[in-house]
Amino acid sequence: MGAGAHGSNDLFYMPPARFLAVVGAGALDALCCAMVERCAGPLLKDVCANLRDFLDRIHEGVGISKVILVGVPITPTMPFVDNIIANMMGTWPGAVPLGHRIVRQVNASHVASLARVGGAFEYGSASKVAVCLDEAAAIDAVMARRRRAALRAVAAEKDGPVITEGSGSGWADGSHPSAELRVELAAELSARLKRAMQHGAALGATTARI
């Protein structure tokens, strides 16, 4: 989707200086979208333009009219992201929760931009369908259920394990879910897709962000 787009694998192997540049640009996006409703910050504009062009080309070229747009799976519940935030900001009081909030705001602005791309793709055509799914939110939901289950399991223990935002439970490594967690994520995303389709049908439109 262009030079401005980075997946979790890109971030995992990215040099520290380049990673900080991406984080800084993402934070600027989050600040823009916090200040101006329905804006797309500088990091997202080129990505969304490329994506919109791609959707138009596959519709005109091969007749694809139904698309699912999925946000990036970057969230503080991913151990890799949580560790970076802790290492970069952990010495400042209250900085880690702020780092978590920034990451989630960047994701929210990204997903909102994808939803607008989907709406533009659908505009003026009853045959086009675009659904936008928030994968980071799906990961958060699954990991929240896992944390609640873990807390219930150790509730009777005096010195039970500490369940943190980026708890490694369910992760094969810092940024990849285990096979078991992949099954749970697939079920969560499937449920979100179903709700998005139902929500769009109820509104008389097809674009939905879930």
Side-chain angles (χ1 to χ4, degrees):
M1 291 190 293
H6 296 283
S8 56
N9 286 335
D10 298 322
L11 293 173
F12 191 82
Y13 295 108
M14 187 177 289
R18 178 59 178 158
F19 177 82
L20 289 175
V22 172
V23 170
L28 179 60
D29 266 22
L31 179 61
C32 286
C33 291
M35 296 174 62
V36 182
E37 185 180 3
R38 294 179 61 83
C39 83
L43 183 65
L44 295 179
K45 286 182 178 178
D46 288 343
V47 174
C48 291
N50 289 347
L51 180 57
R52 173 67 191 278
D53 179 65
F54 173 72
L55 294 180
D56 288 340
R57 284 189 286 112
I58 63 173
H59 176 68
E60 295 168 4
V62 293
I64 292 176
S65 60
K66 296 178 175 60
V67 298
I68 301 174
L69 306 176
V70 183
V72 293
I74 303 299
T75 166
T77 54
M78 178 183 290
F80 170 66
V81 176
D82 187 53
N83 289 339
I84 287 179
I85 293 172
N87 290 334
M88 290 175 57
M89 307 177 71
T91 58
W92 303 330
V96 170
L98 175 62
H100 291 170
R101 183 173 181 178
I102 290 173
V103 169
R104 290 198 165 98
Q105 180 60 46
V106 170
N107 176 69
S109 60
H110 178 251
V111 174
S113 294
L114 289 183
R116 289 193 291 273
V117 169
F121 172 71
E122 291 182 328
Y123 183 76
S125 174
S127 65
K128 293 181 180 178
V129 177
V131 171
C132 183
L133 298 179
D134 188 340
E135 186 173 2
I139 293 172
D140 287 346
V142 171
M143 294 306 295
R145 287 197 294 269
R146 282 177 163 255
R147 286 197 300 274
R148 288 194 296 269
L151 287 170
R152 286 194 298 269
V154 301
E157 298 181 18
K158 182 178 179 181
D159 298 314
V162 176
I163 309 299
T164 64
E165 177 76 28
S167 173
S169 175
W171 295 89
D173 56 32
S175 61
H176 296 94
S178 65
E180 181 182 6
L181 182 54
R182 287 178 189 272
V183 171
E184 295 178 45
L185 287 173
E188 177 69 23
L189 285 168
S190 178
R192 286 170 178 261
L193 175 59
K194 183 177 180 179
R195 290 199 302 271
M197 297 299 291
Q198 292 172 341
H199 179 68
L203 292 177
T206 46
T207 300
R209 171 188 166 190
I210 299 293

